[in-house]
Amino acid sequence: MKASIYFPFGFPTKEKSLTIFEEVATSPVQYVEIGIPYSDPSADGEILQYASQVAIENGVKVKDVWEAVDLVKRHGKKAVIMTYANIIYQYGIDEFVEEAKRHALDGIIVPDITVEEFPQKLKLLKPIFLVPPNVKEERLERIVRNSGEFVYIQSRLGITGQKEKFDPRVKWILDEIKEIDKDKNKFIGFGIHSANDVKLFRKLGANGIIVGSALVKAIMEGKGIEETIDNLLDT
Amino acid sequence: MLRQSLMTEPDERGYFGRFGGRFVPESLIPALDELTEAFYRLRNQQKFQEELADYNRHYGGRPSPLYFAKRLTEYAGGARIFLKREDLIHGGAHKFNNAMGQGLLTKYLGKKRIIAETGAGQHGTATAMIGALLGIETVIYMGEKDIERQQPNVQRMRLMGADVVPVKTGSRTLKDAVNEALRDWVRNVETTHYLIGSVVGPHPFPLMVRHFQSVIGQEVKHDFLEYFGELPDLVMACVGGGSNAAGSFHPFIEDTKVKLLGVEAGGKGDQANSRSITCGSQGILHGSMSYLLQNEEGQVKEAHSVSAGLDYPGVGPELAYWNETGRVDFTYAADKEALDAMRLLSRLEGIIPALESSHAIARAIDVAKTMDKDERIVVTLSGRGDKDLETIQGKMT
Ligand SMILES: Cc1ncc(COP(=O)(O)O)c(C=O)c1O
């Protein structure tokens, strides 16, 4: 099972987050997702909201995020940025794309821009789109074909970090994506917090998981990063 | 004055010029598509229109009076000032118009649950009313700070059976109440309608809310033609998210002789206000491209206004478009000016205006002074001020 680990840049401080990115990048994961905090993260649950707020209060600067990208890449891992639309528009799409190319970013996730709204220029950064359980068949194909490194399948409707039941439609979605493109990486995220979850989704046909809130929570509780990731991946 | 020919409807993707659109998670797309289809179909359907008109009249108390404020006019000493009395509508504000329209739509859609955000508690109150009226479960998200300053409305909502959920995150006001409502909606989108309270949010909300609020401007137009055989010279309204303004202005958009003026909340000054249009910049908040108050990093700033209903760092995309095309002018009134206007109207006319509406009254007095005595101004009195009595304690001299 492959893994993509999300962590918010600037939490709890810029320096500490860089240390955490380094540790994540040296663990057995394939992707490191660097979150750029936004003041109104309406797709995020309490844990990531809290982390974003702390990072913003610490004065996180978008232009500093490239340091984190470089660090991840130095350890031979793929770097993905996740942030909300307004952050990129405010930075300037052209400048953002240019910088991202210069730092060899491998992908970008913007949860509040759908396939249709995605600016042409920004598509150069190989967007990774989310697939929610209520996706309509006719949209799924377009989403899959436009997704870069992997397709991000939501385990349930809603926001990050919830621990409710997984949506049974996930199985249908995994099968359908295989039909559309058998080589496409299928990653599952939203509320993944145990090795059992990981096993379940592997059985259903996913070949990767995405973990965010669970790691942030573990760090807030003083748990080790390596230990947390090892436990999840059950290695 | 006009710099280009005006769109009176958004394009297929929900854009008014470069403003609007849909900046939302994929999970909301099916619901927004369904809503768009239902809205375009129902707004022209006779049965829906008749049912809505019936509720508006017999439940809501429409049409609302157009009142000539004689003593206020004499005080200002210029153009004649008329008040469009949305304060007399059921619930005490224009918010009824939108809640009624969307509530009925929810019923047609067959959804079993309504959620809404509220700032002043007026939209929450209107939604709670409609939830009770139509027998639909209702949940209202309200910032903790607003719960403190608008207690009477919290009690009204609860009395009518709504579940009022305090929002403790971020600014603890309207902006974060919208965030919480959006989070609820993405979880429960298949059973729930998000009855958004202003002309903000992703397409089709700005269009739909403006449509239901346009009854304000249509009635003004009707009454003016009937009484005076001509249109007003100027229409004014306060601007929070912009729904009472959009509803007042839209029926006059193509009557270019009618001047339109929106009044934002000037708060305490340059550093603490809610002037998204006159002080903000282009950006994305709560699902659409518009103007907002933000820092250079794209983080949304906290707004400030003494009136909870205007205390919001964004504004509807259609108003941003009207500003850019020059069709509508925008100005502002400070906290203190609104408080003074509230007292003035109460004493001169025996009408206690909401603090939100008082912003428009404050500017109307100045503007009237600069106009001829035979000219006519309509000010939309968006709500009544009973809810604000606690807020103004100690603030008035
Ligand atoms: C009485 C009143 N007027 C105005 C507003 C501002 O909203 P909008 O700009 O959408 O009309 C509110 C909002 O709560 C309100 O209660």
Side-chain angles (χ1 to χ4, degrees), chain A residues 37-42 44 49 56 60-62 86-87 89-90 111-112 114 117 132 134 139 143 157-158 162 164 169, chain B residues 13 15 22-27 29-30 169 175 179-180 183 186-187 189-190 282-285 289 294 296-300:
Chain A
Y38 172 51
S39 54
D40 295 77
S42 50
D44 286 312
Q49 281 175 53
I56 291 167
V60 67
K61 290 271 181 290
V62 182
N86 196 50
I87 297 294
Y89 276 83
Q90 215 43 39
D112 57 346
T114 55
E117 292 276 346
N134 61 342
R139 289 181 63 84
I143 294 172
L157 274 176
Q162 291 162 236
E164 285 153 23
R169 288 172 289 190
Chain B
R13 292 164 60 227
Y15 279 90
R22 276 182 183 173
F23 291 88
V24 294
E26 178 67 31
S27 56
I29 296 297
T169 51
K175 170 175 88 85
N179 288 333
E180 278 313 309
R183 289 181 189 117
V186 294
R187 284 167 95 149
V189 63
E190 293 169 300
Q282 189 182 349
I284 297 156
L285 177 65
M289 176 74 77
Q294 59 186 329
E296 53 307 323
E297 293 282 306
Q299 309 296 353
V300 183

Short mmCIF file of all heavy atoms in Angstrom, two decimals, chain A residues 37-42 44 49 56 60-62 86-87 89-90 111-112 114 117 132 134 139 143 157-158 162 164 169, chain B residues 13 15 22-27 29-30 169 175 179-180 183 186-187 189-190 282-285 289 294 296-300:
data_model
loop_
_atom_site.label_atom_id
_atom_site.label_comp_id
_atom_site.label_asym_id
_atom_site.label_seq_id
_atom_site.Cartn_x
_atom_site.Cartn_y
_atom_site.Cartn_z
N PRO A 37 -2.00 26.73 4.93
CA PRO A 37 -3.20 27.06 5.70
C PRO A 37 -4.00 28.22 5.09
O PRO A 37 -3.42 29.14 4.50
CB PRO A 37 -2.65 27.46 7.06
CG PRO A 37 -1.32 26.80 7.14
CD PRO A 37 -0.79 26.81 5.74
N TYR A 38 -5.31 28.12 5.25
CA TYR A 38 -6.23 29.16 4.79
C TYR A 38 -7.18 29.46 5.95
O TYR A 38 -7.56 28.57 6.70
CB TYR A 38 -6.99 28.64 3.56
CG TYR A 38 -8.12 29.52 3.06
CD1 TYR A 38 -7.93 30.88 2.80
CD2 TYR A 38 -9.39 28.99 2.83
CE1 TYR A 38 -8.96 31.66 2.33
CE2 TYR A 38 -10.43 29.77 2.35
CZ TYR A 38 -10.22 31.11 2.11
OH TYR A 38 -11.25 31.89 1.64
N SER A 39 -7.55 30.73 6.05
CA SER A 39 -8.37 31.16 7.20
C SER A 39 -9.76 30.53 7.24
O SER A 39 -10.36 30.46 8.31
CB SER A 39 -8.52 32.68 7.15
OG SER A 39 -9.01 33.08 5.88
N ASP A 40 -10.29 30.09 6.10
CA ASP A 40 -11.66 29.58 6.06
C ASP A 40 -11.74 28.21 5.41
O ASP A 40 -12.39 28.04 4.37
CB ASP A 40 -12.57 30.60 5.36
CG ASP A 40 -12.65 31.88 6.14
OD1 ASP A 40 -11.68 32.68 6.07
OD2 ASP A 40 -13.64 32.08 6.84
N PRO A 41 -11.10 27.22 6.06
CA PRO A 41 -11.01 25.89 5.44
C PRO A 41 -12.32 25.10 5.60
O PRO A 41 -12.44 24.25 6.46
CB PRO A 41 -9.87 25.23 6.23
CG PRO A 41 -9.94 25.87 7.59
CD PRO A 41 -10.48 27.25 7.39
N SER A 42 -13.27 25.39 4.72
CA SER A 42 -14.61 24.83 4.93
C SER A 42 -14.70 23.34 4.61
O SER A 42 -15.73 22.73 4.85
CB SER A 42 -15.65 25.63 4.15
OG SER A 42 -15.25 25.77 2.83
N ASP A 44 -12.50 21.26 5.98
CA ASP A 44 -11.71 20.61 7.03
C ASP A 44 -12.44 20.52 8.36
O ASP A 44 -13.18 21.42 8.75
CB ASP A 44 -10.39 21.36 7.24
CG ASP A 44 -9.42 21.08 6.11
OD1 ASP A 44 -9.25 19.91 5.76
OD2 ASP A 44 -8.85 22.04 5.57
N GLN A 49 -8.61 22.57 11.17
CA GLN A 49 -8.97 23.99 11.37
C GLN A 49 -8.07 24.60 12.43
O GLN A 49 -7.56 25.71 12.28
CB GLN A 49 -10.40 24.12 11.89
CG GLN A 49 -11.49 23.99 10.87
CD GLN A 49 -12.85 24.01 11.56
OE1 GLN A 49 -13.16 24.91 12.33
NE2 GLN A 49 -13.66 23.00 11.30
N ILE A 56 -1.53 30.35 10.89
CA ILE A 56 -1.79 31.71 10.41
C ILE A 56 -1.43 32.73 11.49
O ILE A 56 -0.82 33.76 11.20
CB ILE A 56 -3.27 31.86 9.97
CG1 ILE A 56 -3.50 31.03 8.70
CG2 ILE A 56 -3.61 33.32 9.70
CD1 ILE A 56 -4.96 30.84 8.34
N VAL A 60 2.41 32.54 8.97
CA VAL A 60 2.90 31.69 7.88
C VAL A 60 2.88 32.47 6.56
O VAL A 60 1.96 33.22 6.28
CB VAL A 60 2.05 30.39 7.79
CG1 VAL A 60 0.63 30.69 7.35
CG2 VAL A 60 2.70 29.39 6.85
N LYS A 61 3.96 32.34 5.80
CA LYS A 61 4.05 33.05 4.51
C LYS A 61 4.03 32.02 3.38
O LYS A 61 4.80 31.05 3.40
CB LYS A 61 5.37 33.84 4.42
CG LYS A 61 5.42 35.03 5.35
CD LYS A 61 4.86 36.27 4.66
CE LYS A 61 4.89 37.51 5.53
NZ LYS A 61 3.93 37.45 6.67
N VAL A 62 3.18 32.26 2.39
CA VAL A 62 3.07 31.29 1.29
C VAL A 62 4.41 31.12 0.58
O VAL A 62 4.80 30.02 0.21
CB VAL A 62 1.97 31.72 0.29
CG1 VAL A 62 1.82 30.70 -0.81
CG2 VAL A 62 0.64 31.92 1.01
N ASN A 86 -8.37 30.64 -2.84
CA ASN A 86 -8.02 32.04 -2.64
C ASN A 86 -6.53 32.26 -2.42
O ASN A 86 -5.98 33.29 -2.81
CB ASN A 86 -8.82 32.65 -1.48
CG ASN A 86 -8.77 34.16 -1.50
OD1 ASN A 86 -9.04 34.77 -2.55
ND2 ASN A 86 -8.41 34.79 -0.40
N ILE A 87 -5.88 31.29 -1.77
CA ILE A 87 -4.44 31.40 -1.50
C ILE A 87 -3.67 31.49 -2.83
O ILE A 87 -2.78 32.33 -2.99
CB ILE A 87 -3.96 30.18 -0.68
CG1 ILE A 87 -4.66 30.16 0.69
CG2 ILE A 87 -2.44 30.17 -0.53
CD1 ILE A 87 -4.31 31.29 1.61
N TYR A 89 -4.91 32.27 -5.92
CA TYR A 89 -5.30 33.47 -6.68
C TYR A 89 -4.59 34.70 -6.14
O TYR A 89 -4.17 35.57 -6.89
CB TYR A 89 -6.81 33.69 -6.64
CG TYR A 89 -7.55 32.88 -7.68
CD1 TYR A 89 -7.90 31.55 -7.45
CD2 TYR A 89 -7.91 33.43 -8.91
CE1 TYR A 89 -8.57 30.79 -8.39
CE2 TYR A 89 -8.59 32.68 -9.87
CZ TYR A 89 -8.91 31.37 -9.60
OH TYR A 89 -9.57 30.63 -10.54
N GLN A 90 -4.47 34.75 -4.82
CA GLN A 90 -3.87 35.92 -4.21
C GLN A 90 -2.36 35.95 -4.46
O GLN A 90 -1.78 37.00 -4.66
CB GLN A 90 -4.17 35.90 -2.70
CG GLN A 90 -4.39 37.23 -2.06
CD GLN A 90 -5.26 38.17 -2.88
OE1 GLN A 90 -6.23 37.76 -3.50
NE2 GLN A 90 -4.89 39.44 -2.91
N PRO A 111 -9.19 21.76 -2.94
CA PRO A 111 -10.51 21.14 -2.74
C PRO A 111 -11.69 22.00 -3.17
O PRO A 111 -12.76 21.46 -3.40
CB PRO A 111 -10.55 20.87 -1.23
CG PRO A 111 -9.53 21.76 -0.64
CD PRO A 111 -8.48 21.95 -1.68
N ASP A 112 -11.49 23.31 -3.30
CA ASP A 112 -12.64 24.12 -3.71
C ASP A 112 -12.58 24.58 -5.17
O ASP A 112 -13.24 25.55 -5.55
CB ASP A 112 -12.88 25.30 -2.75
CG ASP A 112 -11.68 26.22 -2.59
OD1 ASP A 112 -10.57 25.84 -3.01
OD2 ASP A 112 -11.84 27.32 -2.04
N THR A 114 -13.29 22.70 -8.81
CA THR A 114 -13.66 21.47 -9.51
C THR A 114 -12.98 21.41 -10.87
O THR A 114 -12.36 22.39 -11.31
CB THR A 114 -15.18 21.40 -9.72
OG1 THR A 114 -15.59 22.58 -10.41
CG2 THR A 114 -15.92 21.29 -8.40
N GLU A 117 -13.86 24.30 -13.22
CA GLU A 117 -13.40 25.65 -12.83
C GLU A 117 -11.88 25.75 -12.84
O GLU A 117 -11.34 26.84 -12.71
CB GLU A 117 -13.90 25.99 -11.42
CG GLU A 117 -15.40 26.19 -11.30
CD GLU A 117 -15.86 27.59 -11.69
OE1 GLU A 117 -15.03 28.50 -11.79
OE2 GLU A 117 -17.08 27.75 -11.89
N PRO A 132 -15.86 12.34 -4.39
CA PRO A 132 -16.72 12.05 -3.24
C PRO A 132 -17.65 10.87 -3.55
O PRO A 132 -17.87 10.55 -4.72
CB PRO A 132 -17.52 13.34 -3.08
CG PRO A 132 -17.61 13.89 -4.47
CD PRO A 132 -16.37 13.47 -5.20
N ASN A 134 -20.76 10.62 -3.57
CA ASN A 134 -21.98 10.93 -4.32
C ASN A 134 -21.69 11.36 -5.76
O ASN A 134 -22.54 11.94 -6.42
CB ASN A 134 -22.78 12.02 -3.60
CG ASN A 134 -22.02 13.33 -3.47
OD1 ASN A 134 -20.80 13.35 -3.60
ND2 ASN A 134 -22.71 14.41 -3.21
N ARG A 139 -19.50 12.32 -14.40
CA ARG A 139 -18.42 13.23 -14.00
C ARG A 139 -17.16 12.45 -13.63
O ARG A 139 -16.06 12.98 -13.72
CB ARG A 139 -18.86 14.09 -12.82
CG ARG A 139 -19.90 15.13 -13.17
CD ARG A 139 -20.26 15.98 -11.96
NE ARG A 139 -19.14 16.75 -11.45
CZ ARG A 139 -18.77 17.93 -11.94
NH1 ARG A 139 -19.43 18.47 -12.93
NH2 ARG A 139 -17.73 18.57 -11.43
N ILE A 143 -13.11 13.42 -14.14
CA ILE A 143 -12.25 13.66 -12.98
C ILE A 143 -11.02 12.75 -13.04
O ILE A 143 -9.89 13.19 -12.83
CB ILE A 143 -13.04 13.42 -11.67
CG1 ILE A 143 -14.15 14.45 -11.53
CG2 ILE A 143 -12.10 13.47 -10.46
CD1 ILE A 143 -15.12 14.18 -10.38
N LEU A 157 -18.80 11.19 2.70
CA LEU A 157 -19.17 12.57 2.45
C LEU A 157 -18.71 13.39 3.64
O LEU A 157 -18.66 12.88 4.75
CB LEU A 157 -20.69 12.70 2.36
CG LEU A 157 -21.33 12.45 0.99
CD1 LEU A 157 -22.84 12.53 1.13
CD2 LEU A 157 -20.84 13.47 -0.04
N GLY A 158 -18.40 14.64 3.41
CA GLY A 158 -18.14 15.48 4.57
C GLY A 158 -16.76 16.07 4.59
O GLY A 158 -16.18 16.36 3.55
N GLN A 162 -13.30 13.19 10.28
CA GLN A 162 -14.44 12.54 10.94
C GLN A 162 -14.18 11.05 11.08
O GLN A 162 -13.48 10.45 10.29
CB GLN A 162 -15.70 12.67 10.09
CG GLN A 162 -16.25 14.05 9.97
CD GLN A 162 -17.20 14.12 8.79
OE1 GLN A 162 -17.03 14.94 7.92
NE2 GLN A 162 -18.18 13.23 8.74
N GLU A 164 -16.76 8.68 11.18
CA GLU A 164 -18.01 7.94 11.00
C GLU A 164 -17.79 6.76 10.06
O GLU A 164 -16.69 6.51 9.61
CB GLU A 164 -19.08 8.87 10.43
CG GLU A 164 -19.62 9.82 11.47
CD GLU A 164 -20.13 11.09 10.83
OE1 GLU A 164 -20.46 11.06 9.64
OE2 GLU A 164 -20.18 12.12 11.54
N ARG A 169 -20.46 3.29 -1.19
CA ARG A 169 -20.28 3.56 -2.61
C ARG A 169 -18.81 3.59 -3.04
O ARG A 169 -18.50 3.59 -4.23
CB ARG A 169 -20.97 4.89 -2.98
CG ARG A 169 -22.49 4.78 -2.97
CD ARG A 169 -23.15 6.12 -3.14
NE ARG A 169 -23.01 6.96 -1.94
CZ ARG A 169 -23.67 8.10 -1.75
NH1 ARG A 169 -24.49 8.55 -2.67
NH2 ARG A 169 -23.49 8.80 -0.65
N ARG B 13 -22.31 29.45 -16.15
CA ARG B 13 -21.47 28.98 -15.04
C ARG B 13 -21.65 29.83 -13.79
O ARG B 13 -20.94 29.67 -12.80
CB ARG B 13 -20.01 28.95 -15.48
CG ARG B 13 -19.74 27.87 -16.55
CD ARG B 13 -18.42 28.11 -17.26
NE ARG B 13 -17.31 28.08 -16.32
CZ ARG B 13 -16.32 28.98 -16.28
NH1 ARG B 13 -16.32 30.00 -17.11
NH2 ARG B 13 -15.34 28.87 -15.41
N TYR B 15 -21.49 33.28 -13.59
CA TYR B 15 -20.66 34.48 -13.50
C TYR B 15 -21.41 35.74 -13.91
O TYR B 15 -22.11 35.75 -14.91
CB TYR B 15 -19.41 34.34 -14.38
CG TYR B 15 -18.32 33.53 -13.72
CD1 TYR B 15 -18.26 32.15 -13.88
CD2 TYR B 15 -17.37 34.14 -12.92
CE1 TYR B 15 -17.28 31.40 -13.26
CE2 TYR B 15 -16.38 33.40 -12.29
CZ TYR B 15 -16.33 32.04 -12.47
OH TYR B 15 -15.36 31.31 -11.85
N ARG B 22 -18.55 28.96 -9.07
CA ARG B 22 -18.73 27.95 -8.03
C ARG B 22 -17.38 27.47 -7.56
O ARG B 22 -16.71 26.73 -8.28
CB ARG B 22 -19.43 26.73 -8.63
CG ARG B 22 -20.91 26.80 -8.71
CD ARG B 22 -21.37 25.48 -9.28
NE ARG B 22 -22.81 25.49 -9.45
CZ ARG B 22 -23.47 24.51 -10.06
NH1 ARG B 22 -22.82 23.47 -10.54
NH2 ARG B 22 -24.77 24.58 -10.18
N PHE B 23 -16.97 27.90 -6.39
CA PHE B 23 -15.71 27.42 -5.82
C PHE B 23 -16.05 26.55 -4.62
O PHE B 23 -16.10 27.03 -3.49
CB PHE B 23 -14.81 28.60 -5.46
CG PHE B 23 -14.30 29.32 -6.68
CD1 PHE B 23 -15.05 30.35 -7.26
CD2 PHE B 23 -13.11 28.94 -7.29
CE1 PHE B 23 -14.60 30.99 -8.41
CE2 PHE B 23 -12.65 29.58 -8.43
CZ PHE B 23 -13.41 30.60 -9.00
N VAL B 24 -16.36 25.31 -4.91
CA VAL B 24 -16.85 24.39 -3.88
C VAL B 24 -16.25 23.01 -4.08
O VAL B 24 -15.80 22.68 -5.17
CB VAL B 24 -18.38 24.24 -3.93
CG1 VAL B 24 -19.07 25.54 -3.56
CG2 VAL B 24 -18.83 23.76 -5.30
N PRO B 25 -16.28 22.18 -3.03
CA PRO B 25 -15.87 20.79 -3.19
C PRO B 25 -16.78 20.06 -4.17
O PRO B 25 -17.97 20.37 -4.28
CB PRO B 25 -16.03 20.21 -1.78
CG PRO B 25 -16.12 21.36 -0.86
CD PRO B 25 -16.65 22.50 -1.64
N GLU B 26 -16.19 19.09 -4.83
CA GLU B 26 -16.92 18.27 -5.80
C GLU B 26 -18.21 17.69 -5.20
O GLU B 26 -19.23 17.57 -5.89
CB GLU B 26 -15.99 17.14 -6.27
CG GLU B 26 -16.58 16.15 -7.24
CD GLU B 26 -16.91 16.72 -8.61
OE1 GLU B 26 -16.22 17.66 -9.05
OE2 GLU B 26 -17.88 16.22 -9.23
N SER B 27 -18.18 17.38 -3.90
CA SER B 27 -19.35 16.73 -3.28
C SER B 27 -20.60 17.59 -3.31
O SER B 27 -21.70 17.08 -3.18
CB SER B 27 -19.03 16.33 -1.84
OG SER B 27 -18.61 17.46 -1.11
N ILE B 29 -21.43 19.50 -5.92
CA ILE B 29 -21.86 19.72 -7.30
C ILE B 29 -23.23 19.09 -7.62
O ILE B 29 -24.10 19.76 -8.19
CB ILE B 29 -20.78 19.27 -8.31
CG1 ILE B 29 -19.52 20.15 -8.13
CG2 ILE B 29 -21.27 19.32 -9.75
CD1 ILE B 29 -19.71 21.62 -8.44
N PRO B 30 -23.46 17.82 -7.22
CA PRO B 30 -24.78 17.26 -7.54
C PRO B 30 -25.92 18.10 -6.95
O PRO B 30 -26.93 18.34 -7.61
CB PRO B 30 -24.74 15.87 -6.90
CG PRO B 30 -23.29 15.53 -6.80
CD PRO B 30 -22.58 16.82 -6.58
N THR B 169 -15.59 28.82 16.41
CA THR B 169 -14.33 28.92 15.67
C THR B 169 -14.12 30.32 15.10
O THR B 169 -15.06 31.07 14.89
CB THR B 169 -14.31 27.90 14.52
OG1 THR B 169 -15.51 28.04 13.76
CG2 THR B 169 -14.23 26.48 15.03
N LYS B 175 -19.08 35.03 9.40
CA LYS B 175 -18.18 34.34 8.49
C LYS B 175 -18.00 32.88 8.90
O LYS B 175 -18.08 31.97 8.07
CB LYS B 175 -16.82 35.05 8.48
CG LYS B 175 -15.72 34.29 7.75
CD LYS B 175 -14.45 35.12 7.67
CE LYS B 175 -13.53 34.96 8.88
NZ LYS B 175 -12.62 33.82 8.81
N ASN B 179 -19.04 29.02 7.42
CA ASN B 179 -18.14 27.86 7.32
C ASN B 179 -18.75 26.62 7.95
O ASN B 179 -18.70 25.53 7.38
CB ASN B 179 -16.79 28.16 7.99
CG ASN B 179 -15.96 29.15 7.18
OD1 ASN B 179 -16.10 29.24 5.97
ND2 ASN B 179 -15.10 29.89 7.85
N GLU B 180 -19.32 26.77 9.13
CA GLU B 180 -19.92 25.62 9.82
C GLU B 180 -21.12 25.08 9.04
O GLU B 180 -21.32 23.86 8.96
CB GLU B 180 -20.34 25.96 11.25
CG GLU B 180 -19.22 25.92 12.26
CD GLU B 180 -18.34 24.66 12.19
OE1 GLU B 180 -18.89 23.54 12.19
OE2 GLU B 180 -17.11 24.79 12.10
N ARG B 183 -19.84 23.07 6.26
CA ARG B 183 -19.33 21.76 6.71
C ARG B 183 -20.48 20.80 6.98
O ARG B 183 -20.39 19.61 6.68
CB ARG B 183 -18.47 21.93 7.97
CG ARG B 183 -17.15 22.60 7.67
CD ARG B 183 -16.26 22.75 8.90
NE ARG B 183 -15.12 23.59 8.56
CZ ARG B 183 -14.84 24.77 9.10
NH1 ARG B 183 -15.60 25.27 10.06
NH2 ARG B 183 -13.81 25.47 8.69
N VAL B 186 -21.83 19.67 3.41
CA VAL B 186 -21.08 18.63 2.69
C VAL B 186 -21.27 17.25 3.32
O VAL B 186 -21.17 16.24 2.65
CB VAL B 186 -19.56 18.91 2.50
CG1 VAL B 186 -19.32 20.10 1.61
CG2 VAL B 186 -18.84 19.08 3.81
N ARG B 187 -21.58 17.20 4.60
CA ARG B 187 -21.84 15.90 5.24
C ARG B 187 -23.22 15.37 4.93
O ARG B 187 -23.42 14.17 4.81
CB ARG B 187 -21.77 16.03 6.76
CG ARG B 187 -20.39 16.13 7.30
CD ARG B 187 -20.45 16.56 8.74
NE ARG B 187 -20.41 15.41 9.63
CZ ARG B 187 -19.86 15.47 10.83
NH1 ARG B 187 -19.32 16.57 11.26
NH2 ARG B 187 -19.84 14.41 11.59
N VAL B 189 -25.48 16.55 2.50
CA VAL B 189 -26.01 17.20 1.29
C VAL B 189 -27.15 16.42 0.64
O VAL B 189 -27.99 16.98 -0.04
CB VAL B 189 -24.84 17.47 0.30
CG1 VAL B 189 -24.20 16.17 -0.14
CG2 VAL B 189 -25.29 18.30 -0.88
N GLU B 190 -27.19 15.13 0.87
CA GLU B 190 -28.21 14.34 0.19
C GLU B 190 -29.60 14.46 0.83
O GLU B 190 -30.59 14.11 0.21
CB GLU B 190 -27.75 12.88 0.08
CG GLU B 190 -26.55 12.80 -0.87
CD GLU B 190 -25.84 11.47 -0.86
OE1 GLU B 190 -25.35 11.05 0.20
OE2 GLU B 190 -25.79 10.84 -1.91
N GLN B 282 -10.36 41.74 -4.85
CA GLN B 282 -10.96 40.56 -5.46
C GLN B 282 -10.44 39.28 -4.81
O GLN B 282 -9.25 39.16 -4.53
CB GLN B 282 -10.62 40.54 -6.96
CG GLN B 282 -11.39 39.47 -7.70
CD GLN B 282 -11.03 39.41 -9.18
OE1 GLN B 282 -10.35 40.30 -9.69
NE2 GLN B 282 -11.48 38.38 -9.85
N GLY B 283 -11.33 38.34 -4.58
CA GLY B 283 -10.91 37.07 -3.98
C GLY B 283 -12.06 36.10 -3.89
O GLY B 283 -13.18 36.40 -4.31
N ILE B 284 -11.76 34.93 -3.33
CA ILE B 284 -12.75 33.86 -3.25
C ILE B 284 -13.07 33.55 -1.80
O ILE B 284 -12.18 33.27 -1.00
CB ILE B 284 -12.20 32.58 -3.94
CG1 ILE B 284 -11.96 32.85 -5.42
CG2 ILE B 284 -13.18 31.41 -3.76
CD1 ILE B 284 -10.95 31.93 -6.03
N LEU B 285 -14.33 33.62 -1.46
CA LEU B 285 -14.77 33.26 -0.12
C LEU B 285 -16.14 32.62 -0.22
O LEU B 285 -17.00 33.09 -0.98
CB LEU B 285 -14.83 34.50 0.79
CG LEU B 285 -15.36 34.26 2.22
CD1 LEU B 285 -14.45 33.36 3.02
CD2 LEU B 285 -15.55 35.59 2.95
N MET B 289 -16.37 34.08 -6.43
CA MET B 289 -15.38 35.13 -6.65
C MET B 289 -16.08 36.47 -6.46
O MET B 289 -17.10 36.73 -7.10
CB MET B 289 -14.88 35.00 -8.09
CG MET B 289 -13.92 36.06 -8.54
SD MET B 289 -12.29 35.85 -7.84
CE MET B 289 -11.65 34.52 -8.85
N GLN B 294 -9.12 40.97 2.95
CA GLN B 294 -8.10 39.94 3.11
C GLN B 294 -6.72 40.59 3.22
O GLN B 294 -6.55 41.74 2.83
CB GLN B 294 -8.13 39.00 1.90
CG GLN B 294 -7.89 39.71 0.57
CD GLN B 294 -8.06 38.81 -0.64
OE1 GLN B 294 -7.81 37.63 -0.57
NE2 GLN B 294 -8.50 39.38 -1.77
N GLU B 296 -2.42 40.33 2.32
CA GLU B 296 -1.74 40.07 1.03
C GLU B 296 -1.46 38.58 0.82
O GLU B 296 -1.21 38.14 -0.28
CB GLU B 296 -0.50 40.95 0.81
CG GLU B 296 0.61 41.04 1.84
CD GLU B 296 0.18 41.39 3.26
OE1 GLU B 296 -0.75 42.22 3.47
OE2 GLU B 296 0.81 40.83 4.18
N GLU B 297 -1.58 37.78 1.88
CA GLU B 297 -1.39 36.33 1.77
C GLU B 297 -2.66 35.61 1.34
O GLU B 297 -2.66 34.40 1.13
CB GLU B 297 -0.96 35.77 3.13
CG GLU B 297 0.40 36.22 3.58
CD GLU B 297 1.51 35.45 2.87
OE1 GLU B 297 1.49 34.22 2.91
OE2 GLU B 297 2.37 36.10 2.26
N GLY B 298 -3.78 36.34 1.28
CA GLY B 298 -5.04 35.69 0.92
C GLY B 298 -5.80 35.14 2.12
O GLY B 298 -6.76 34.39 1.96
N GLN B 299 -5.36 35.53 3.33
CA GLN B 299 -6.12 35.13 4.51
C GLN B 299 -7.22 36.16 4.73
O GLN B 299 -6.97 37.37 4.68
CB GLN B 299 -5.23 35.06 5.76
CG GLN B 299 -3.96 34.23 5.59
CD GLN B 299 -4.22 32.74 5.33
OE1 GLN B 299 -5.36 32.26 5.38
NE2 GLN B 299 -3.18 32.00 5.01
N VAL B 300 -8.42 35.66 4.98
CA VAL B 300 -9.56 36.56 5.12
C VAL B 300 -9.50 37.25 6.48
O VAL B 300 -9.23 36.62 7.50
CB VAL B 300 -10.88 35.77 4.97
CG1 VAL B 300 -12.07 36.72 5.05
CG2 VAL B 300 -10.88 35.02 3.64
#
